[in-house]
Amino acid sequence: MEKSAFVHIGLTVSNIDRTIEFYKKYFGFEVELKGQFPDGFFDAKPSLYGLKAGAGSKIAIINSPDGVALELFEFLDQTPFKAAKWDTPGYHHICLKVDDIHAKYQEMKKDGIEFYFEPDYMGDPKDDRYWVFLKDPDGNMIELQQ
């Protein structure tokens, strides 16, 4: 059986620079590529993208410290954000591992980042494993685990 490897997660954002700074500041992501798609790029595959003719987008690829990438899109003509729902098929969050979830929570909370709850135990408290959920700058869900 052929092996596969995880390459990236695609994420549409409202402000690519703000999103890059968020992931750099809190999670140590680094920019690999930043630019704009050439005119007509999305028009060439309408069945894939489903966008109106002439759509344009900025792009950035940012890498986590362990090499998993986020491919960011900022479309020039955007539709309003719609929060993912747990009971609706589709993607609803990404999960990142942090060394000290309590320190990360305090740092981000101080900066006004919105959390769903405070860090909580993942199962048995003696295991010293924690989790928490927060919103990125666009309201996408991120789970943190320690």
Side-chain angles (χ1 to χ4, degrees):
M1 180 176 201
E2 187 175 332
K3 290 184 179 182
S4 61
F6 200 92
V7 178
H8 69 258
I9 299 164
L11 184 63
T12 297
V13 301
S14 63
N15 182 309
I16 211 162
D17 293 323
R18 179 181 68 184
T19 301
I20 289 169
E21 288 310 309
F22 174 85
Y23 281 96
K24 281 174 69 173
K25 178 178 181 177
Y26 297 116
F27 305 114
F29 279 65
E30 295 293 332
V31 176
E32 176 184 328
L33 173 143
K34 189 174 175 193
Q36 185 147 343
F37 285 98
D39 290 343
F41 180 87
F42 298 103
D43 296 339
K45 294 181 177 54
S47 65
L48 172 63
Y49 298 111
L51 301 170
K52 64 182 176 183
S57 174
K58 296 177 184 177
I59 184 174
I61 296 176
I62 59 174
N63 295 306
S64 69
D66 66 348
V68 176
L70 289 177
E71 182 180 32
L72 306 176
F73 300 85
E74 179 190 332
F75 285 90
L76 307 178
D77 185 21
Q78 300 178 6
T79 59
F81 173 77
K82 198 174 200 180
K85 292 184 65 179
W86 288 86
D87 62 350
T88 302
Y91 301 104
H92 47 74
H93 75 278
I94 63 171
C95 182
L96 301 171
K97 188 175 183 111
V98 295
D99 292 330
D100 185 341
I101 201 166
H102 300 288
K104 185 63 64 182
Y105 172 82
Q106 291 300 327
E107 172 193 8
M108 295 177 81
K109 192 79 171 162
K110 182 183 68 144
D111 288 348
I113 304 301
E114 184 178 347
F115 284 81
Y116 289 89
F117 54 88
E118 294 182 14
D120 196 7
Y121 292 108
M122 291 180 65
D124 192 334
K126 70 179 180 198
D127 292 337
D128 201 35
R129 292 180 59 219
Y130 296 90
W131 68 303
V132 70
F133 268 81
L134 62 116
K135 293 181 180 182
D136 80 356
D138 284 307
N140 297 300
M141 288 187 285
I142 299 172
E143 179 182 1
L144 300 182
Q145 289 187 6
Q146 172 191 305

